Amino acid sequence: ASEEVCRPFPAQKLCKQDLPGDGYIEPNKTLRENNVSKSGKFSVGLPITMMITGMVGNSLALMLVYRSYRKKENNRKKSFLFCIGSLALTDLFGQLLTSPIVIYAYLADKKWETMDPSKILCAFFGVCMTTFGLCPLFLASAMAIERSLAITSPHWYSIHMKTSLTKQILVVILCLVLIFALLPIAGVGQYTHQWPGTWCFISIGDREDPGMFFAITFAVLGIFLLLVTFSCNVVTIRGLIIRCKTKSGTSHSAKQWERLTTETVIQLLGIMCVLLICWAPLLVSFCESFSPSPSPDIQLECKLFLFTIHLASLNQILDPWVYLLLREILLRKFCQVASAVSKCLRKTKKNNTCFTV
């Protein structure tokens, strides 16, 4: 049985019934060798592709932010650009610090205990995964709060929201997340290598294990940040629609405001969809791991957990597109098409005809 078990969370109670001794899963040589020989060459393509696409997207976002930041004189726009730049930089560093380790472990067919006998690399990898996983969620929440304040309380926002304050908030977020990620180094929680042995992350043991506090806090914190982001974005969308209705008319400013509202609403909906798709499966899998009921298929659970990690990592690739690049490249085109279709429909109602192809 020990050659078939591949729990994503080592030392979890569900494995004790299948393993001799104390129930702790030691590095599985047979399972690791079989997985590398059968699917290692295929699997390594995914982390390589994700690293390259993430580096390209975040680098483009950083260049665009830098160029726009130098031109902008409005402090409000500078604060937003600074947040976007921080998010792109965080995602870029997260990929540069973790992806090469995973790729090397795949290509070299290194067992983690051989590659990292002192477990220092595992701790470093776990800290990076936690830090650069939570930072984008915190930054997304901060930007969602910033947008909602700008729409619902524009007077207060213009007085109190300065670029210097934005920088201070971002530094505080980074420091708090880093302190939280370092808690397992201080003995609160634990980072252990995960199946198939090419990466490390938070370990979940017995429910009575003090380390469970760290894992539970991570899951609760992630869910809370998602709820804050969703709530603030909904408030922003509602405020934009209300203001757009009050400014309705045929003037140039009214049309410009309508176009800006459409672009922003589409962007916010895209952000919420990306966050939900990327993070909800991982957070749900964490919550399910706290359940006392055993899993009927351990192998399937391992693969599903690895899939949820890939989805969460995908958020680092999609962030620059949903926050900046797609708005610059595609949203304007989409709005132009929507405007053309709207005009066509209005003409159809009047003349019962439209353009012909």
Side-chain angles (χ1 to χ4, degrees):
S2 62
E3 292 184 355
E4 298 176 354
V5 176
C6 62
R7 289 292 305 171
F9 304 121
Q12 194 165 353
K13 55 190 174 302
L14 301 184
C15 299
K16 291 185 177 180
Q17 59 190 10
D18 298 322
L19 295 175
D22 58 4
Y24 280 69
I25 296 178
E26 294 297 329
N28 195 319
K29 295 183 179 179
T30 303
L31 180 63
R32 172 68 180 136
E33 290 168 359
N34 289 338
N35 275 281
V36 171
S37 61
K38 293 179 182 179
S39 61
K41 293 183 180 179
F42 171 78
S43 300
V44 74
L46 182 60
I48 291 176
T49 302
M50 293 180 69
M51 183 181 71
I52 294 174
T53 53
M55 289 175 60
V56 170
N58 286 296
S59 297
L60 287 174
L62 285 172
M63 289 188 291
L64 186 59
V65 165
Y66 177 75
R67 187 183 66 180
S68 301
Y69 188 85
R70 294 185 62 183
K71 293 181 180 180
K72 299 295 183 183
E73 296 181 358
N74 191 317
N75 286 332
R76 174 177 171 178
K77 294 181 179 179
K78 278 193 171 185
S79 296
F80 177 75
L81 288 172
F82 194 82
C83 290
I84 295 293
S86 299
L87 179 62
L89 190 63
T90 300
D91 289 336
L92 183 61
F93 266 98
Q95 291 166 333
L96 289 176
L97 291 176
T98 57
S99 295
I101 300 175
V102 175
I103 294 170
Y104 174 76
Y106 268 113
L107 293 177
D109 190 14
K110 292 286 187 179
K111 299 175 181 61
W112 197 279
E113 69 275 14
T114 303
M115 188 173 65
D116 180 33
S118 64
K119 298 184 179 181
I120 295 177
L121 182 61
C122 185
F124 170 78
F125 196 100
V127 169
C128 289
M129 287 283 289
T130 304
T131 301
F132 296 108
L134 285 178
C135 267
L137 287 178
F138 269 101
L139 291 174
S141 299
M143 285 187 283
I145 294 172
E146 183 263 350
R147 279 189 298 263
S148 64
L149 289 175
I151 296 299
T152 58
S153 305
H155 181 67
W156 182 94
Y157 181 91
S158 62
I159 295 175
H160 296 89
M161 206 63 189
K162 307 296 182 183
T163 307
S164 58
L165 179 60
T166 303
K167 295 178 180 179
Q168 293 173 6
I169 292 174
L170 294 179
V171 171
V172 170
I173 288 176
L174 179 60
C175 291
L176 290 177
V177 173
L178 184 59
I179 291 173
F180 175 77
L182 289 173
L183 287 179
I185 310 299
V188 182
Q190 185 182 9
Y191 293 122
T192 55
H193 64 277
Q194 309 287 332
W195 181 84
T198 55
W199 59 292
C200 285
F201 198 45
I202 301 169
S203 173
I204 296 181
D206 293 329
R207 301 185 71 179
E208 295 80 9
D209 191 339
M212 282 290 289
F213 168 78
F214 182 75
I216 293 173
T217 304
F218 176 86
V220 171
L221 194 57
I223 294 172
F224 172 75
L225 292 173
L226 284 180
L227 291 176
V228 170
T229 304
F230 271 63
S231 301
C232 291
N233 283 340
V234 169
V235 170
T236 302
I237 291 173
R238 180 176 178 274
L240 283 170
I241 294 174
I242 292 175
R243 292 184 64 178
C244 186
K245 289 180 178 179
T246 60
K247 294 179 178 289
S248 60
T250 59
S251 63
H252 176 72
S253 60
K255 292 182 178 180
Q256 188 177 15
W257 180 261
E258 182 179 355
R259 177 184 60 79
L260 180 62
T261 299
T262 304
E263 290 181 4
T264 306
V265 169
I266 294 173
Q267 183 187 32
L268 293 178
L269 291 175
I271 290 171
M272 290 190 291
C273 289
V274 167
L275 284 174
L276 182 64
I277 293 172
C278 291
W279 278 98
L282 177 61
L283 297 176
V284 169
S285 68
F286 259 82
C287 295
E288 289 180 348
S289 298
F290 306 144
S291 172
S293 59
S295 174
D297 193 337
I298 303 300
Q299 291 279 349
L300 178 61
E301 186 179 354
C302 292
K303 294 177 181 178
L304 287 176
F305 180 69
L306 187 62
F307 176 71
T308 62
I309 286 292
H310 286 152
L311 279 181
S313 300
L314 189 63
N315 183 234
Q316 296 177 326
I317 300 173
L318 297 178
D319 273 343
W321 295 96
V322 295
Y323 279 100
L324 189 64
L325 298 177
L326 281 181
R327 184 181 180 94
E328 294 287 334
I329 299 172
L330 297 180
L331 286 181
R332 296 185 187 277
K333 296 295 182 182
F334 177 86
C335 292
Q336 289 174 4
V337 173
S339 177
V341 172
S342 177
K343 290 179 181 179
C344 174
L345 293 175
R346 285 198 294 267
K347 289 181 180 179
T348 303
K349 291 181 180 179
K350 292 181 179 180
N351 306 325
N352 292 326
T353 183
C354 195
F355 57 83
T356 56
V357 179

